[in-house]
Amino acid sequence: MAVLVKERMRAKAAPVPGSARVPAIAPVLPVNSILRGDCIEAMRALPAASIDMIFADPPYNLQLGGDLARPDGSHVDAVTNDWDKFTSFATYDRFTREWLTEAHRLLKPDGSIWVIGSYHNIFRVGAMLQDMGFWILNDIVWRKANPMPNFKGTRFTNAHETLIWASKSEKSKYTFNYRAMKTLNDELQMRSDWVLPICSGAERIRKDGTKAHPTQKPEALLYRVLLATTNPGDVVLDPFFGTGTTGAVAKRLGRQWIGCEREADYIAVAQERIALALPLDETALKTMQSRRTAPRVAFGQLVEAGWIRPGAVLWDRKRRFSATVRADGSVEAGAGPGSIHGIGAAVQGAPSCNGWTFWHVEHEGEVKPLDALRQLYLLATED
């Protein structure tokens, strides 16, 4: 695929006799596809200033010394893959500098980049971002609600990872859907510390009983990133595509995506996964931007984590009224969007309403009040 794109970029229109030189044929951007092979080569084949946002989950260069074991002697399934092994910090830095150079070239002037990492690599990445002219907007701490313990008891439990969000330059007019984030966060400003569970349970993809990918990221994390810093139709590039979390969430949210991946096993999993991802309907994709049209909501995290699907229909207990869930955690019932509480009051003509108990939704074959799902979510994500 990368070779095909490169050849298209090199193609020139034949000059017409007696006329000025005809400009080169515009390159075709391979949206919604996986570019197989080395990510740097694949990125070099893409046209400059063609990408709205990049989400990168590069190798962390964990430098693990031997196998990890639990106190009972059982093996810990850690990252031991060849793609995470580098002979030195200098080698890792050279690799990082090369892909970040391409990332800077590919971003549109008002584009932005997210890079996630651990203490092993994120500080080196951050310094390079600044050296290359990126402008750091936030560092986000993803605090894991259910981290793996430190079995040896020799260090603090590694309970977080760090995401750096940066614009292409200091003057970039980057996308930030502030109202959508505030709506998603119970009408409070979204903070830079995000408490989300690690990828586990049914979301964790397994092949023949083993993890398909050792560092699969939860869809809730990508949901928040994409909802916050892209708009429907934007092109999102993931240079380290893995099992396709970015592609699956982008498809759900109506964004276009491009992935780079060299491991055939990961590509096969990603293709199957994205094919099964259902895009949300257009009304569910609208997010709130104006304070005047953005009343309070209180269940956005359930939507973000996938417990309630955008586009799902809510009913009152007697099914007299209905409302549709939107991507940012608001609901809509005829006149316009609002919170579960505000819309619940509006449809009844009442001064107030507790949306958690008023609205019901189908979950696992049963109709349950929203409060029941809230309690299940709290149980599933408690420390």
Side-chain angles (χ1 to χ4, degrees):
M1 176 68 75
V3 173
L4 174 62
V5 175
K6 188 177 295 184
E7 292 303 317
R8 286 176 176 171
M9 290 174 63
R10 291 174 177 168
K12 304 287 184 180
V16 178
S19 69
R21 182 178 178 85
V22 178
I25 297 173
V28 177
L29 197 62
V31 295
N32 304 327
S33 64
I34 303 173
L35 307 183
R36 301 169 184 254
D38 176 75
C39 71
I40 297 170
E41 289 301 316
M43 293 168 77
R44 285 173 179 162
L46 297 174
S50 60
I51 303 298
D52 295 289
M53 193 270 275
I54 294 173
F55 180 86
D57 183 10
Y60 288 7
N61 193 23
L62 294 177
Q63 312 117 39
L64 293 178
D67 292 337
L68 297 178
R70 298 182 178 86
D72 62 4
S74 59
H75 177 71
V76 177
D77 189 11
V79 182
T80 57
N81 307 73
D82 288 341
W83 50 255
D84 193 57
K85 295 176 181 177
F86 295 84
T87 56
S88 65
F89 285 125
T91 302
Y92 184 78
D93 290 350
R94 184 165 55 253
F95 164 75
T96 302
R97 198 173 290 109
E98 286 184 7
W99 75 257
L100 281 177
T101 298
E102 290 307 309
H104 195 272
R105 182 184 67 85
L106 291 176
L107 279 177
K108 295 178 181 178
D110 294 331
S112 67
I113 183 172
W114 289 80
V115 185
I116 185 170
S118 69
Y119 67 88
H120 300 87
N121 71 325
I122 199 64
F123 305 110
R124 309 180 81 87
V125 172
M128 289 185 209
L129 284 166
Q130 291 180 313
D131 289 344
M132 292 181 179
F134 291 97
W135 188 255
I136 294 180
L137 301 167
N138 276 117
D139 64 322
I140 303 292
V141 174
W142 166 32
R143 186 161 73 84
K144 301 173 183 179
N146 49 346
M148 181 184 295
N150 183 274
F151 295 111
K152 293 183 179 180
T154 55
R155 303 183 186 184
F156 296 108
T157 296
N158 293 323
H160 78 278
E161 293 184 29
T162 301
L163 298 94
I164 296 176
W165 176 41
S167 57
K168 184 170 183 175
S169 73
E170 183 180 0
K171 299 184 182 300
S172 297
K173 297 179 180 179
Y174 54 89
T175 296
F176 179 50
N177 295 318
Y178 170 80
R179 286 304 309 165
M181 289 296 97
K182 194 170 182 181
T183 301
L184 197 67
N185 195 43
D186 217 359
E187 201 57 20
L188 299 173
Q189 282 192 347
M190 183 71 77
R191 293 161 43 122
S192 62
D193 54 335
W194 299 354
V195 181
L196 297 168
I198 63 174
C199 189
S200 60
E203 185 181 357
R204 169 65 75 173
I205 301 173
R206 296 181 181 274
K207 290 293 182 182
D208 301 322
T210 60
K211 295 177 182 177
H213 194 289
T215 63
Q216 181 185 337
K217 295 301 184 288
E219 290 195 4
L221 181 68
L222 271 297
Y223 190 106
R224 188 175 296 188
V225 166
L226 267 64
L227 190 65
T229 58
T230 64
N231 295 309
D234 281 356
V235 179
V236 179
L237 170 68
D238 186 336
F240 309 95
F241 203 57
T243 53
T245 304
T246 300
V249 176
K251 182 178 177 182
R252 285 172 54 201
L253 290 175
R255 278 66 167 166
Q256 300 186 87
W257 57 270
I258 300 172
C260 305
E261 182 52 57
R262 70 182 192 183
E263 303 292 333
D265 290 345
Y266 297 163
I267 292 173
V269 171
Q271 288 174 328
E272 180 180 355
R273 178 184 187 184
I274 295 169
L276 295 174
L278 298 176
L280 308 182
D281 63 52
E282 187 174 347
T283 57
L285 289 174
K286 295 177 182 177
T287 55
M288 297 183 180
Q289 298 299 326
S290 166
R291 176 177 297 273
R292 183 173 299 175
T293 60
R296 296 175 60 180
V297 297
F299 81 130
Q301 196 163 359
L302 296 184
V303 178
E304 181 178 57
W307 285 70
I308 299 175
R309 178 180 55 82
V313 177
L314 308 180
W315 302 278
D316 66 302
R317 186 171 59 86
K318 296 183 179 180
R319 298 204 177 208
R320 297 167 297 172
F321 311 107
S322 65
T324 303
V325 178
R326 305 197 327 171
D328 60 3
S330 59
V331 297
E332 190 165 16
S339 71
I340 54 173
H341 313 296
I343 297 300
V347 296
Q348 298 177 88
S352 63
C353 171
N354 182 346
W356 287 111
T357 56
F358 177 75
W359 293 112
H360 292 62
V361 67
E362 186 172 337
H363 179 253
E364 296 182 345
E366 299 180 27
V367 176
K368 303 174 182 177
L370 294 182
D371 191 52
L373 267 68
R374 176 169 63 168
Q375 298 307 315
L376 289 172
Y377 175 77
L378 291 172
L379 288 172
T381 57
E382 66 182 1
D383 293 337

